[in-house]
Amino acid sequence: MDISLIAVDMDGTLLNDHSEVSTENLAAIRRLSQRGIITVPVTGRTYHEIPEAVRRENCIKYFVFSNGSGIYEKENGILYSSVMPRETAVGIYKLLCSYETYIEIYSGGYPWAIGSKMTETCFEYYKINPRFRKVIAHSRKRAENFESMLDNETLKPELFDAFFRNMDERSDCLEKLAAQFPDEQVVSSMGNNLEIMNKGTNKGTGLKRLCHILSIDTEKTLALGDSKNDIHMFKAAGCAYAVSNACDELKAIATGVACSNNENIIEYAEKNII
């Protein structure tokens, strides 16, 4: 298979269930680099919450972060950023606040959360997946008041990530977002969250933008992922493999199904796909 670039999701794909990248995956990334094949993390995380072991790996030079809202290059910093208009960001925040939600705002490659809600009690109350709680607790910048930060543009949102305690409220909010903010796009990577970005911003458009920057044909890309927010990336790539722990929606459009996220997906791709 003629592959020039591997676009790999992070949580549930490149990272194991402990949110760690294996030495086997890193070794495979280095071997592939020697063959001229670059590996690019394509993640819903902000750049600065990507594990240090991934960010410091010399053979990983490019990152597509915040679901395609940003592209980062090690040598030159942020190459691309999709920021919401202030009025839109304020309106979305007010809508999310009308429900029982835990809200995060991604801005400038960093994740922000309200400090008073950064507790295990709140994580449990808003039903945040236990395996992500430690990551959230250690990676978020703490804010006291989002409303004032949005009003004075201290925050320039690339993405809103909202966790809902009540799934009926999530469904209602999804309908209102579509009606009130038609220029925004909504995806989900977990059962009870919504991730809101500018329309035309997703992992697929992020992959296409990076390929344009690097003069790589998207037909020569391999996508690896596990969740619904990887669907656009799968559709943009030349071929796409879902990990065995992926959601059914992703498996349905995949070229094939690979190993699980605990079984070294890059090493698997090196040996069995490329």
Side-chain angles (χ1 to χ4, degrees), residues 31-103:
R31 290 191 298 269
L32 288 166
S33 178
Q34 291 175 351
R35 294 168 53 185
I37 300 171
I38 66 174
T39 300
V40 178
V42 181
T43 179
R45 296 187 183 209
T46 62
Y47 172 73
H48 290 282
E49 62 180 314
I50 294 171
E52 186 179 354
V54 178
R55 284 189 283 123
R56 73 177 179 224
E57 170 54 50
N58 290 333
C59 291
I60 301 178
K61 298 180 180 179
Y62 297 93
F63 303 80
V64 178
F65 63 89
S66 297
N67 281 338
S69 294
I71 297 174
Y72 188 94
E73 180 186 14
K74 279 185 178 176
E75 291 184 1
N76 297 302
I78 293 177
L79 301 180
Y80 170 82
S81 181
S82 177
V83 176
M84 289 182 187
R86 191 196 70 83
E87 185 176 347
T88 299
V90 170
I92 289 173
Y93 178 66
K94 289 181 178 179
L95 175 62
L96 293 175
C97 285
S98 67
Y99 303 99
E100 278 198 279
T101 49
Y102 173 91
I103 301 168

Side-chain angles (χ1 to χ4, degrees), residues 8 10 17 28 92 134 160 171 174 176 190 205 224 256:
V8 59
M10 297 285 296
D17 285 347
I92 289 173
K134 185 176 180 180
F160 282 90
S171 297
L174 189 58
K176 288 182 178 177
M190 303 181 204
T205 57
L224 304 169

Side-chain angles (χ1 to χ4, degrees), residues 132-266:
F132 295 117
R133 294 176 188 178
K134 185 176 180 180
V135 174
I136 290 173
H138 286 86
S139 64
R140 271 51 180 169
K141 283 181 169 287
R142 296 169 183 258
E144 291 185 8
N145 186 308
F146 275 156
E147 190 167 2
S148 62
M149 295 177 76
L150 290 170
D151 279 340
N152 63 29
E153 296 193 271
T154 302
L155 289 177
K156 298 182 183 295
E158 302 152 351
L159 180 150
F160 282 90
D161 186 10
F163 291 85
F164 290 76
R165 176 171 169 79
N166 184 291
M167 292 300 286
D168 288 335
E169 287 194 352
R170 179 183 180 274
S171 297
D172 185 71
C173 183
L174 189 58
E175 290 182 7
K176 288 182 178 177
L177 284 167
Q180 297 177 25
F181 302 97
D183 291 329
E184 302 308 306
Q185 180 164 306
V186 184
V187 298
S188 176
S189 59
M190 303 181 204
N192 68 323
N193 84 321
L194 294 176
E195 298 162 26
I196 308 154
M197 304 149 288
N198 286 330
K199 183 166 281 187
T201 300
N202 53 61
K203 289 187 177 184
T205 57
L207 173 58
K208 288 178 180 178
R209 285 190 179 96
L210 180 60
C211 285
H212 178 74
I213 291 169
L214 300 178
S215 298
I216 291 175
D217 185 347
T218 54
E219 286 301 310
K220 295 184 177 182
T221 62
L222 166 65
L224 304 169
D226 76 306
S227 64
K228 291 181 182 179
N229 70 344
D230 294 317
I231 288 175
H232 290 99
M233 178 173 71
F234 270 40
K235 291 180 177 179
C239 66
Y241 277 73
V243 287
S244 62
N245 51 287
C247 65
D248 291 339
E249 292 90 339
L250 201 65
K251 288 179 179 178
I253 64 169
T255 308
V257 177
C259 65
S260 79
N261 66 308
N262 292 314
E263 298 174 289
N264 310 314
I265 184 60
I266 303 296

Side-chain angles (χ1 to χ4, degrees), residues 121-140:
T121 299
C122 281
F123 295 158
E124 182 70 26
Y125 185 80
Y126 292 105
K127 304 178 182 179
I128 296 173
N129 190 316
R131 70 187 174 108
F132 295 117
R133 294 176 188 178
K134 185 176 180 180
V135 174
I136 290 173
H138 286 86
S139 64
R140 271 51 180 169

Side-chain angles (χ1 to χ4, degrees), residues 106-122:
Y106 295 2
S107 173
Y110 288 93
W112 290 79
I114 298 299
S116 61
K117 287 192 171 183
M118 297 281 290
T119 66
E120 186 64 29
T121 299
C122 281

